[in-house]
Amino acid sequence: MNTREVKRSLLGGTSIIAAMMMSPAVVAQDQGSDESGFALEEIVVTSRRKAESLQEAPAAITAFTSQKIQDAGIERPADFVALTTNLTLIETQNAGNAFVVLRGITQNRNSEPSVAVVIDGVQQVNPAQFNQELFDIQQIEVLKGPQGAIYGRNAIGGAIVITTKKPGEETEGSISAGIDNGPGYKIRGSVGGPIGDSGKLKYRLSGAFIDTDGYINNEFLGEEADPYQDLSLRGRLIWDASDRLSVDLRASMSRLKTQAFYYNIVTDVNDTSLPVRVNNAGQNDRDMNSVSMQINYDVGGGTITSTTSFDTLEEILTGDAFDFLPIEESLFYQILGVDLNQSQFLDVESWSQDLRFASDSDGPLRWMVGGYMIGTKRYISTGNLVDLGQGVTPVYREPSTNPNNPQATFLADEQDNFAWAVYADATYDLTDKLELNASIRYDEDEREQTTLTPTEYLPNVEGIPGAVSGEVRTVTFSEWQPKFTLRYLVNDDLTFYGGYSTGFRSGGFNQSGVGAIAVANGIVGVNDIFEAEVATTFELGFKSELLDSRLTLNGNVFTTKSENSYFFVFLAANSTQNLGTVPEGRLKGLELDASYRAAPGLDFNLGFGYTDSEIKEFQDSSVIGNKLPGVSEMTLNMGVQYSTEIADGVTLVTRADYQRIGKTWWDLPNSTVRNPVDLFDARISVEWGDGWAVTAWSRNLFNEKYNAEFSPGGFVFKAKPRRYGLDISKRF
């Protein structure tokens, strides 16, 4: 039986839910390569909530199997982002501020996510959860284009679906340890298997600990500005109660400690000459907890799936404030005789419930219906303090009373949000070769915000109506999100597809009175409430397998109309961070991905993505025709991996990856553009015996210096320089 026949047997003879429950790596391994070792593995993906071959799925999907994750050394989101076309990640300010940009759909401070991030069936609520350690991961899938019909609000750019490893039928696990040039060290491990003799109850425990001094020097304090310590743990318990009923319990926690706010102020984003010289090391502590339960019940003719989750996130960050220089050199000290530092606090609790029914996969018609609810409570405070050289006081829910670090400004608000959705999906085989998929979802998001800033700290401007302590504001955002996809299988090796999809991202609240203050300061596009963003995309693509499955070549073109895309504005007049909206933007692009097995053990991959962004409508006509902020013009991803046996039972694996991020614009006037960034990563591993491996690795091998972000006002945040280290691991 050849690779294609095995794949069709797996997908055709198994229900959708059963296939989704199957370990993707096991599926890929069973499909294997041919005896000569030339054929590339066949991958099964589930990011469209159905099990399907990656090469026949009518969508642009980049997938990383367990083996690929290991080979590429993927340990954080930035690692797989660097291997994905038209996907970039802007890491800035603090651990929770990591902005995902997919096909030009951007993200910024205080905004909702640009993509749906789903871990083991549970969709993340807050974008501050995204940037976390990845360990014991089975598969990662990046689904591109608006996915509102599948994942609802905030899947406007696409979806990132992460599946952790499930326990197997036998006890097994792994442990690894490593050192890096921070200097630092890390330990990772996992163990799982059956409990008892019945085989109905299985467990898996995994964890990771990393502690490094950092890589970016703070010349003033004589220490690194970016130390990093994280402890993450996860546990899963799966109960196969019967042939029809299964229960999957999952719990995880993360405790992160690092620093934040080590900016420089420049006019050109390409200026990396200034060293970090903040006089406050500050702190950035983030605590995350998550508990979820998924129940699958086969009722005959279909499966009911219930997914329930509860999440908490708390993050405190402190550090220097503008202009991020030692006290006596700072601008405020020169003018006012005092310097400032700052503190921010975020506290989020959320629960969610998803309930759906999926029909069996046999027959020409497959369908699914469901409903979703989510409740979120969020508290956030921000403020500046007078810097007397005595460090930074973390400020949570009340202004600082520390006489050595008195409060200068303080803002606080609380949100109580509830959203619900209903959705349906149907796939019909019009002929043996032609398939139509239609999905639709309605989301409604009701938001209530209460201003908790004490009256004496309200940043109102004389003569302009402003905020009132205790003020309650409500707003509801809703949208129908349809999606239609047509797939044509020319033959076993060539697939064409095309479709239309929509997505929307909820709007939200700026500080009350901001709209009038923005107008008074000559800033347009900023109001008290920023509207929901809606994106509609048309896409055409193809997928092919050539040279007896040694070469896969996939490509697509797309055009997206974006209404109310976000941009960031800091209003000095009332010391507020705000989001504005662009009434209409246009994104046009293409993607080309190829994988080639030149010989057994020798693999090449290539990915090219291009996105042309343009502001089509805006209140200030001078910026019409400019590029949208935060969008990179192109990405180029190239990689090569070679594996060979160098002695009996000893294998050498070498890998090199190159990423180019094209020109990136940062504000509406396009006042500065970052030049293309070229990054190289390399890994050399020796594997032997029963699961032993030693790996030497480097990221940003040639020490490319660039700024990860430019924020209006000239704020730049340094990207990580070269890192390297040595790991040893053992599978058992």
Side-chain angles (χ1 to χ4, degrees), residues 475-495:
V475 63
T476 299
F477 303 101
S478 62
E479 192 73 29
W480 286 96
Q481 298 170 90
K483 180 181 174 123
F484 302 96
T485 305
L486 198 63
R487 181 186 71 177
Y488 181 65
L489 298 174
V490 179
N491 52 47
D492 284 351
D493 299 319
L494 180 61
T495 300

Side-chain angles (χ1 to χ4, degrees), residues 495-560:
T495 300
F496 288 106
Y497 67 91
Y500 165 86
S501 58
T502 59
F504 106 102
R505 172 165 47 184
S506 293
F509 302 95
N510 287 321
Q511 184 72 27
S512 184
V514 154
I517 295 172
V519 170
N521 285 270
I523 298 173
V524 298
V526 177
N527 299 291
D528 289 18
I529 294 175
F530 54 91
E531 296 298 324
E533 180 181 1
V534 178
T536 56
T537 293
F538 290 92
E539 180 174 350
L540 293 172
F542 74 92
K543 295 186 173 183
S544 64
E545 292 186 6
L546 307 169
L547 304 177
D548 295 326
S549 296
R550 291 168 57 190
L551 172 66
T552 64
L553 180 63
N554 306 326
N556 65 76
V557 293
F558 63 89
T559 178
T560 299

Side-chain angles (χ1 to χ4, degrees), residues 62 99 142 193 220 316 414 417 420 472-473 558 646:
T62 300
F99 308 143
V142 180
F220 183 80
I316 180 72
E414 186 174 66
N417 305 329
W420 62 273
V472 178
R473 296 185 289 167
F558 63 89
I646 57 176

Side-chain angles (χ1 to χ4, degrees), residues 280 319-321 339-343 383-388 391-392 405:
N280 286 294
D320 256 14
D339 192 17
L340 296 177
N341 51 36
Q342 59 184 308
S343 181
N384 292 114
L385 301 94
V386 177
D387 189 353
L388 300 177
V392 181
N405 198 200

Side-chain angles (χ1 to χ4, degrees), residues 6-84:
V6 173
K7 174 198 66 185
R8 286 183 170 168
S9 175
L10 282 165
L11 296 180
T14 310
S15 72
I16 288 176
I17 295 299
M20 291 177 70
M21 294 283 288
M22 191 181 301
S23 167
V26 171
V27 175
Q29 183 179 2
D30 288 344
Q31 294 165 177
S33 58
D34 62 10
E35 292 181 0
S36 68
F38 272 98
L40 293 166
E41 69 174 357
E42 197 75 51
I43 300 171
V44 172
V45 293
T46 60
S47 52
R48 296 199 314 142
R49 280 188 171 166
K50 59 190 74 177
E52 54 192 343
S53 162
L54 173 63
Q55 277 304 108
E56 292 186 358
I61 305 173
T62 300
F64 302 91
T65 63
S66 176
Q67 187 62 52
K68 289 183 179 179
I69 291 169
Q70 176 183 320
D71 291 342
I74 295 173
E75 296 182 346
R76 295 187 187 89
D79 299 336
F80 71 78
V81 168
L83 303 173
T84 306

Side-chain angles (χ1 to χ4, degrees), residues 339-411:
D339 192 17
L340 296 177
N341 51 36
Q342 59 184 308
S343 181
Q344 298 184 15
F345 174 63
L346 176 67
D347 186 7
V348 183
E349 293 184 357
S350 64
W351 61 267
S352 67
Q353 174 65 53
D354 183 89
L355 183 66
R356 63 180 182 268
F357 178 82
S359 68
D360 285 343
S361 61
D362 296 334
L365 176 65
R366 288 85 66 196
W367 54 273
M368 179 188 299
V369 294
Y372 177 76
M373 296 185 298
I374 182 169
T376 307
K377 288 190 175 182
R378 189 203 75 164
Y379 174 89
I380 186 170
S381 68
T382 64
N384 292 114
L385 301 94
V386 177
D387 189 353
L388 300 177
Q390 303 299 313
V392 181
T393 301
V395 176
Y396 296 89
R397 295 177 180 271
E398 301 293 335
S400 170
T401 58
N402 182 356
N404 294 318
N405 198 200
Q407 198 81 41
T409 67
F410 181 78
L411 296 172

